[in-house]
Amino acid sequence: METIGHHPVSHPRPCSVAVIGAGPAGLVAARRLEAAGVEVVVFEKSRGIGGRVATRRTSDGLAFDHGAQYVTARGASFARFLLDAQSAGLAIRWDPVVDPPRARFAEGSTGGASTAEPPGWFVGSPGMSSLFRSLASPLTVRYEVTVTMVDPTDRGVWLVADDSERGRRRIGAFDAAVIAIPAPQASAIAGHLPTVAETLASVVTTPCWALMIAFEGSRNLPAEVFRPADGPIAWVARDASKPGRSNDSTTLVVHATPEWSRDHLDDAPDAVTAHLLTALASVVGTTLSAPTLVAAHRWRYAQTTVPLGAPFIAAADGRVLIGGDWTTGARVEAAWDSGEAMANHLLGA
Ligand SMILES: Cc1cc2nc3c(=O)[nH]c(=O)nc-3n(C[C@H](O)[C@H](O)[C@H](O)COP(=O)(O)OP(=O)(O)OC[C@H]3O[C@@H](n4cnc5c(N)ncnc54)[C@H](O)[C@@H]3O)c2cc1C
C-alpha cells in the first residue's frame, strides 16, 4: 500500500539502503542514514553531485552556475547546514545589486517554515555544487549509474540499472530504497508500484532553458541580477559577481521563463541561443556583440509549480520512499527537508 508522508514505520529499521540521486535530497538522506550506522550506497546517473545545484566548467577555466542560483534557509535544519558550510568555506553570502530590488522578488516557494526577515542569499564556493561537497565526501557514491527500476521482493528491494560499462542489469538488493529525483523521473522507475504513478501525476513541474554567455573584458550592465518584467527572459545574473569566482570575463547566466521554455522545449539549442541573445540585448539596452562563448542547457524538470503537499511518498510497505524538492516546494531547502524526512522515517525517528 502507498501512503504519503509521516506514517508510522511498518517494517524493522533497515540495515542497508540504496539512495537514488545525489542531489540535495538524496545526499542529506544518505548522510543521515550513514551517520546512524546504516550501510548506504548512492547511485547517481551523472558524473558529479548536486543535481540541479550545478556548475558547468569550460576547458578555458570559466564556470557557470546554470541551475540553482542561490539558496536561502527559512527552517532551522537547513540554516544549521548553511552555517557549517560557511565555516568550511563552501558557502558564501551573496549580496548582488538587484533590479528590481530584492524586496519585490517573489521566491515562488511553497516549502519550509517562513520567517519575517528576508533570508540572506548564499552561493557555493567556488561553484554552486560545492555547497554539498562535505556532505558527500564520506559517502559511497556510484556515478554514471542510471537506476531504471526498483523491485521490492521478499528478499529485499532490488535495483535494476544501466551503466555505461555493463549495460542494463540487476545491481543488488537492499532493505530499503530512497528515490530522490524529480517526480516524472521517479514515476519512470517506481510508477509500477500500486498508486505511485497516480500520486506522482498530481505534481506539476516546469522546464527551464538556461543560457551561459561569456564576454571578454567588462560590459556595462544595469545590475548584477535583473529580472525583466516581460518577454522570454526570467532571470539574468552576472555569475562573476558571486564571491569566489574569477572576475576576468563577464559571465552571464540567463534563465528563460517557464512559459517560454515550455513552448520551446524541443527547439534546437542554436535556435534557443539566437532568440534569447536577441531578447537579452533588448533587456540590457545595448548590443552584446561577439560573446566568446555561448551554450544552452535545457532543464526538463526545473521547478515545481504544483507540489505534492507532503514530505515524501512511502510505497512497498514503507521500504521504498520517494521524495525531492517537488514534495513541498521548488527550492533546495524543500529538497533538504524531504531528504531528512525520508531518513527519519526509515530510522523510526
Ligand atoms: C534553472 C533552475 C534554477 C533554480 N534556481 C533555484 C534557486 O535559485 N534557489 C533554489 O533554492 N532552488 C533553485 N532551483 C531548484 C533546485 O535546484 C532544486 O530544488 C534542487 O536541486 C532539488 O534537489 P533534489 O535533490 O530534489 O533533486 P535534483 O537536484 O534534481 O537531484 C536529483 C539527482 O538525481 C539524479 N538522477 C535522476 N534520475 C536518476 C536515476 N534514474 N538514477 C540515478 N540518478 C538519477 C540526477 O542526475 C540528479 O543528480 C533551480 C532549479 C533550476 C533547474
Side-chain angles (χ1 to χ4, degrees):
M1 200 189 74
E2 168 266 350
T3 53
I4 297 183
H6 294 319
H7 286 263
V9 210
S10 56
H11 53 87
R13 182 178 155 143
C15 296
S16 64
V17 175
V19 172
I20 299 152
L27 289 176
V28 66
R31 192 60 188 273
R32 293 286 184 267
L33 290 164
E34 188 244 18
V38 177
E39 191 190 311
V40 180
V41 182
V42 181
F43 296 94
E44 167 55 49
K45 73 174 179 179
S46 74
R47 278 179 294 172
I49 60 157
R52 283 168 278 159
V53 183
T55 304
R56 169 91 60 94
R57 293 182 193 287
T58 67
S59 51
D60 41 5
L62 297 176
F64 298 87
D65 298 329
H66 61 315
Q69 294 298 292
Y70 62 90
V71 298
T72 53
R74 299 171 184 197
S77 173
F78 194 55
R80 251 192 326 271
F81 164 75
L82 276 185
L83 269 182
D84 289 347
Q86 208 180 357
S87 308
L90 299 173
I92 304 186
R93 204 176 154 133
W94 181 39
D95 287 306
V97 177
V98 176
D99 178 25
R102 220 186 283 188
R104 285 168 47 207
F105 267 57
E107 262 197 289
S109 161
T110 53
S114 61
T115 58
E117 288 298 305
W121 290 7
F122 285 87
V123 295
S125 177
M128 281 303 284
S129 52
S130 315
L131 273 177
F132 299 104
R133 205 196 295 148
S134 64
L135 205 60
S137 56
L139 296 170
T140 303
V141 185
R142 289 180 51 192
Y143 294 103
E144 296 186 82
V145 180
T146 302
V147 175
T148 54
M149 189 172 75
V150 292
D151 182 18
T153 71
D154 293 348
R155 288 169 299 121
V157 178
W158 286 86
L159 259 51
V160 177
D162 244 337
D163 70 46
S164 45
E165 279 170 19
R166 299 174 61 192
R168 188 173 170 142
R169 71 210 153 87
R170 288 189 152 209
I171 54 170
F174 297 79
D175 292 341
V178 165
I179 302 174
I181 64 181
Q185 293 174 320
S187 197
I189 67 177
H192 59 287
L193 303 176
T195 72
V196 166
E198 297 90 296
T199 308
L200 287 171
S202 70
V203 174
V204 180
T205 55
T206 55
C208 177
W209 271 107
L211 210 59
M212 295 157 268
I213 311 168
F215 300 99
E216 282 293 350
S218 63
R219 284 287 192 290
N220 218 1
L221 298 174
E224 287 165 325
V225 167
F226 38 103
R227 298 221 305 184
D230 45 38
I233 293 179
W235 166 278
V236 183
R238 207 164 73 76
D239 234 36
S241 72
K242 294 181 175 179
R245 273 72 173 169
S246 151
N247 240 333
D248 296 347
S249 297
T250 298
T251 45
L252 299 181
V253 169
V254 174
H255 284 161
T257 62
E259 299 74 25
W260 193 89
S261 300
R262 195 188 49 227
D263 292 346
H264 295 265
L265 189 63
D266 295 317
D267 286 7
D270 283 354
V272 169
T273 300
H275 194 106
L276 292 180
L277 274 180
T278 306
L280 179 65
S282 74
V283 165
V284 300
T286 173
T287 50
L288 290 169
S289 56
T292 52
L293 181 150
V294 190
H297 179 90
R298 180 181 62 186
W299 296 101
R300 191 177 277 278
Y301 309 113
Q303 281 177 314
T304 312
T305 48
V306 181
L308 178 72
F312 58 85
I313 296 170
D317 294 325
R319 289 183 299 153
V320 175
L321 303 186
I322 309 166
D325 60 342
W326 49 269
T327 54
T328 59
R331 300 164 49 240
V332 171
E333 188 172 21
W336 179 270
D337 291 343
S338 174
E340 269 202 326
M342 290 191 280
N344 288 341
H345 182 80
L346 289 175
L347 295 170

